[in-house]
Amino acid sequence: MTTTSEKLSDQLTRQVSARVSQSVFDGSRLRVVLLVDVYDGAQQQFLEAYEQLCNQVAQVPGHVSDQLCQSIENPSQWLITSEWESAPPFLTWVNSEEHVRMVEPLHSCVRDTRSLRFHVVRETGGEPEAATPRRRLQASPRIGDGVIRHALTFTVKPGSESEVKRILSDYASPEARVDEATRLCRTSLFMHGNRVVRAIEVRGDLLAALRHVARQPEVRAVEEAINPYLEQERDLNDQESARVFFTRAALPAVHHVTVDELAEGERQALYYPARPGLGMQLAERLAQQDGAAAGDPDSPVLRSTIFHRDDVVVRLIDVRPGLGGRVVLPEPGRQGALSALLDGPPVGMDLVTDRRSPDA
């Protein structure tokens, strides 16, 4: 028999689900699918590299199991699936320098990869959930808005900030249409000190959009122009150098909440310096605050996306127009529950450019 409180809880879950279109913090199990295209003739080399890698991955906290599969139609196509207790331990590992070093042996035999991440919503067979309390399922499906959000972050040499800002603010926008199914919606670029954050919104295939942007002459010219000022050197003409740079620059979105889909807002970005090793906890605490504020009609926030990698946490928000200033920054000394996780006060980033596709 379902009680009144259980019905209310289910209603609240569905309401939050409708507002939260993306989150890694519901505690449910994670299934990771990696599609791999191996160079012809390198199958045995790939298998040996994988066996060495999987022994290392098995020691990573939060890892449950993995499988390696080879296509019955094309021997160059492989599939790696892995299960994790939840998304945060996987993201902590996959975005670490340890992971960058761990997968190096695969690069010489792999032509291309594509990673997909899924929360487990329902399953059949296996042990009953009651017998395995750690094997949680996502409570209810999220209703998204059709937009995929991603960001890149990197640092430039101190003293070059003004020149980098000039270069990044002065270039022609790339073609918004990628293909029939994919379109660039919005690109927002911010700086604080020598840190650059570029947030991207896409409808369709994120990987196709990123590759499309990288091929655009106007974008390529900007990337080449800022090369001398980067703290991490790169050579965009060298595939491995470019791959390592953009792997380290990836700043994944871990939570997104929408309060009002119709209203246009003023875009801001807030940088939260996390104490070493506490970045994921800080991102989760911010996600909890955003979730609690989603039902507050007096909240200035219309939309909020939290990006996280290592000790870098960035919150991209759209606030109600006309309020002015950085209205959601806590007053100094009043960070409350965030204080123990912060390595300094949160700060507003300077908006360099914010570009939207005409039909986004």
Side-chain angles (χ1 to χ4, degrees):
M1 177 176 167
T2 303
T3 65
T4 302
S5 61
E6 288 172 336
K7 290 181 180 179
L8 178 59
S9 176
D10 182 62
Q11 291 172 359
L12 290 174
T13 298
R14 293 180 183 277
Q15 290 171 7
V16 170
S17 175
R19 289 188 174 124
V20 178
S21 61
Q22 181 178 358
S23 184
V24 305
F25 297 121
D26 69 358
S28 60
R29 283 180 289 130
L30 182 73
R31 174 69 64 181
V32 180
V33 178
L34 184 65
L35 306 174
V36 184
D37 185 13
V38 176
Y39 287 117
D40 294 337
Q43 286 84 353
Q44 184 60 37
Q45 178 187 352
F46 170 73
L47 180 59
E48 293 171 358
Y50 167 80
E51 289 178 340
Q52 179 181 356
L53 174 64
C54 72
N55 290 331
Q56 297 173 304
V57 176
Q59 308 303 315
V60 177
H63 176 265
V64 177
S65 64
D66 55 59
Q67 287 184 325
L68 175 66
C69 311
Q70 186 176 21
S71 169
I72 63 174
E73 299 170 335
N74 183 350
S76 295
Q77 293 179 349
W78 295 71
L79 172 71
I80 302 173
T81 65
S82 61
E83 184 177 316
W84 297 75
E85 292 175 2
S86 62
F90 166 76
L91 292 173
T92 297
W93 171 69
V94 81
N95 293 324
S96 67
E97 284 297 312
E98 177 188 12
H99 176 262
V100 172
R101 294 190 298 268
M102 200 178 289
V103 300
E104 281 182 356
L106 295 175
H107 297 158
S108 61
C109 51
V110 170
R111 182 184 293 109
D112 194 18
T113 62
R114 181 181 180 89
S115 179
L116 306 170
R117 295 94 183 257
F118 302 87
H119 272 149
V120 180
V121 180
R122 298 291 182 268
E123 67 178 359
T124 58
E127 298 181 46
E129 189 173 350
T132 54
R134 297 175 70 183
R135 295 170 62 86
R136 293 185 53 189
L137 305 180
Q138 182 175 309
S140 59
R142 297 189 190 90
I143 310 301
D145 56 4
V147 176
I148 302 172
R149 296 167 174 87
H150 187 67
L152 299 170
T153 186
F154 51 87
T155 55
V156 296
K157 296 174 182 177
S160 69
E161 294 89 348
S162 296
E163 179 62 14
V164 170
K165 185 177 293 188
R166 183 194 66 78
I167 295 171
L168 293 175
S169 64
D170 185 22
Y171 69 96
S173 298
E175 171 61 40
R177 184 180 183 275
V178 178
D179 53 41
E180 292 184 358
T182 302
R183 178 171 293 275
L184 299 172
C185 298
R186 190 170 185 175
T187 300
S188 306
L189 198 144
F190 294 84
M191 290 185 67
H192 171 66
N194 69 332
R195 178 166 296 280
V196 178
V197 172
R198 178 187 290 149
I200 305 165
E201 297 179 4
V202 173
R203 288 189 183 274
D205 187 327
L206 175 63
L207 185 58
L210 293 176
R211 288 174 171 170
H212 164 80
V213 170
R215 291 193 296 265
Q216 301 304 299
E218 56 272 26
V219 174
R220 184 66 179 237
V222 168
E223 297 288 353
E224 293 288 356
I226 66 172
N227 269 349
Y229 306 110
L230 297 175
E231 286 199 311
Q232 178 190 341
E233 294 184 0
R234 68 179 182 187
D235 179 1
L236 294 177
N237 295 313
D238 180 274
Q239 185 175 356
E240 181 64 11
S241 174
R243 187 200 62 78
V244 170
F245 178 86
F246 287 110
T247 295
R248 290 187 170 128
L251 188 64
V254 295
H255 190 85
H256 175 78
V257 60
T258 297
V259 177
D260 189 336
E261 297 182 5
L262 300 178
E264 282 292 327
E266 297 176 357
R267 180 147 287 192
Q268 300 181 12
L270 312 176
Y271 172 63
Y272 296 79
R275 292 184 185 274
L278 298 181
M280 185 63 79
Q281 293 183 43
L282 175 59
E284 183 172 9
R285 188 65 58 84
L286 289 170
Q288 292 170 351
Q289 291 184 358
D290 279 348
D296 180 3
D298 296 325
S299 172
V301 178
L302 300 172
R303 283 166 290 278
S304 174
T305 307
I306 298 168
F307 299 92
H308 163 255
R309 181 188 185 92
D310 296 329
D311 302 327
V312 177
V313 179
V314 173
R315 186 166 166 241
L316 183 68
I317 60 173
D318 293 330
V319 301
R320 299 186 187 279
L323 296 177
R326 295 184 170 105
V327 296
V328 295
L329 275 176
E331 296 178 11
R334 299 188 62 183
Q335 285 90 18
L338 299 180
S339 298
L341 305 174
L342 288 167
D343 199 26
V347 294
M349 304 189 76
D350 296 329
L351 178 63
V352 177
T353 181
D354 184 28
R355 305 183 183 205
R356 302 188 64 166
S357 157
D359 55 350

